Amino acid sequence: MTEDDELEGRVRASLDAHAAEVDTSVPVAARARAAARRHRGRWVAAGAAAAVAAVAATAVVVDRGDAPGSEEPPVAGPPSSAPVVPAGWRVEYWHDVSVQVPADWGWGTAPTTVMRGDLTTYLCGGPGAMRTTRGKNLVNPVSTAPYVGRPIMLSDACMGGVRSLDPQAPYVWLGADLPPGTADVGNGYTQETVEAAGTTVTVGAVDAALRERILSSVARQDLCPPTVPSGGPDPRGTLVEGVGEVRTFDLCAYAAPDRGGPLDLVYAADLGAGAYADWRRALTASEDVGVSGGCADHGELVVLTGTFDDPAGTEPVSQGWTVDVPCDLVYADDGSDAVLTPELRAAWHAPALRSILRTYIGMLG
């Protein structure tokens, strides 16, 4: 059985089990969301080019072109720049784009298209938050909790017809398989989808000012490379003898959408100096395990990069670590390897990753 057939079977089983919620007459099939084999690689960067901003400042042109069946014509025009992140907001990253959302919103899923013949968009989990900012796994979606969703299956309960959700809380979808445009999705909510930097950003809300505030923050991100090879990031730059005060400590999480293809950025965060201190303490307590060749993983990597003052110069320097998430291994830029201990994981493990990386999502239900 191919992975296409396996995922198609899961979606079909979901539709059969929840026939009251979806139209099962439409053929469905799997888009490849399979594992990529990764050869061992290490992330090394040095010099000023590695000093990156936590919030992108490069605006992108967003396409708010009308979509068939839209309730009202969307307004066209690019944002002039990405606003400074105010208190009470945070930045979410997906592929090439960043967008600002209220800091207390949780995380969930977004519509994805499974295809064989006809195209139908499904929401597999939700609507609503399935993970809170405090790290609580809600198991069942809370429809009244605002959230940020990505097109990742969080449940085998899939429903179609996402244009009539009757939402009970505002939401942002990153990379949803939806055409640009606006639509009335029930309960007084207007949903607007824009194209930006090769992906989509969708906002659903009653408050037009909230929709505009979020969409105006869409920008091309420069915190992380948007893709890395299926074998992981290649070594680059040079090692340094020592580092000074930490400037930034960034997390870039990648997953493989297609077997054998590159890994795409699915989440990122500026973790800060405190997280780096925890990471350094845990690294000091860990042992070099001398791993050779890694293990057969499922194509999920977390790349951690710290930028520091250079004690011997004026330009910042960087050091990095690649975490093979399914294998629980850490490959450091100095050639050492370590087992991903609970202490090492705790230094960077953001609550959002429980609804983003398959390793932490676990069995669907």
Side-chain angles (χ1 to χ4, degrees):
M1 176 182 293
T2 67
E3 294 199 9
D4 274 1
D5 293 334
E6 181 182 355
L7 186 51
E8 179 181 9
R10 290 165 62 188
V11 175
R12 284 189 179 279
S14 167
L15 299 182
D16 291 340
H18 305 276
E21 302 173 50
V22 298
D23 178 6
T24 59
S25 64
V26 180
V28 297
R31 169 176 295 178
R33 297 284 178 187
R37 306 289 287 184
R38 196 185 79 82
H39 300 292
R40 178 178 176 180
R42 297 190 177 91
W43 178 276
V44 185
V52 293
V55 179
T58 304
V60 297
V61 176
V62 293
D63 180 0
R64 302 168 81 165
D66 200 4
S70 295
E71 299 298 328
E72 59 186 72
V75 178
S80 57
S81 64
V84 174
V85 184
W89 289 71
R90 71 170 188 259
V91 183
E92 291 281 340
Y93 298 86
W94 173 260
H95 295 205
D96 282 279
V97 301
S98 65
V99 62
Q100 297 177 19
V101 302
D104 60 351
W105 285 22
W107 294 275
T109 189
T112 187
T113 301
V114 291
M115 66 181 80
R116 183 169 294 163
D118 295 336
L119 300 180
T120 301
T121 302
Y122 292 91
L123 195 67
C124 297
M130 296 186 72
R131 190 78 181 171
T132 71
T133 55
R134 295 183 179 181
K136 182 178 180 181
N137 188 350
L138 300 176
V139 182
N140 296 315
V142 177
S143 59
T144 57
Y147 71 103
V148 178
R150 290 165 170 81
I152 299 167
M153 288 184 68
L154 298 183
S155 172
D156 65 353
C158 298
M159 69 176 192
V162 296
R163 292 176 67 84
S164 300
L165 289 176
D166 292 329
Q168 300 180 55
Y171 54 89
V172 167
W173 291 336
L174 304 175
D177 288 324
L178 297 173
T182 60
D184 181 350
V185 290
N187 284 347
Y189 279 73
T190 297
Q191 176 180 288
E192 183 170 359
T193 299
V194 301
E195 288 186 348
T199 189
T200 62
V201 178
T202 300
V203 182
V206 173
D207 186 353
L210 176 62
R211 292 197 308 274
E212 184 60 32
R213 167 65 182 84
I214 293 172
L215 289 172
S216 70
S217 73
V218 175
R220 185 180 296 276
Q221 65 88 13
D222 63 0
L223 183 65
C224 303
T227 62
V228 295
S230 59
D234 295 327
R236 62 183 184 181
T238 58
L239 297 176
V240 294
E241 292 297 325
V243 297
E245 185 176 352
V246 60
R247 295 190 178 191
T248 63
F249 186 51
D250 300 327
L251 179 156
C252 306
Y254 296 90
D258 300 295
R259 181 178 293 279
L263 278 64
D264 294 331
L265 183 75
V266 293
Y267 179 78
D270 177 3
L271 300 178
Y276 174 74
D278 293 340
W279 174 256
R280 173 51 62 183
R281 281 193 295 269
L283 276 176
T284 302
S286 66
E287 296 183 3
D288 186 349
V289 296
V291 176
S292 177
C295 73
D297 66 43
H298 296 83
E300 292 183 333
L301 301 176
V302 167
V303 177
L304 301 169
T305 305
T307 61
F308 311 87
D309 291 336
D310 183 357
T314 59
E315 297 295 336
V317 294
S318 295
Q319 292 185 347
W321 302 264
T322 296
V323 180
D324 187 328
V325 177
C327 295
D328 282 336
L329 295 172
V330 180
Y331 304 123
D333 62 9
D334 63 1
S336 62
D337 303 320
V339 173
L340 183 63
T341 62
E343 293 75 18
L344 283 170
R345 184 185 293 110
W348 56 263
H349 201 277
L353 296 179
R354 291 286 181 182
S355 62
I356 297 173
L357 296 182
R358 291 185 301 273
T359 302
Y360 299 132
I361 293 171
M363 293 291 292
L364 299 181

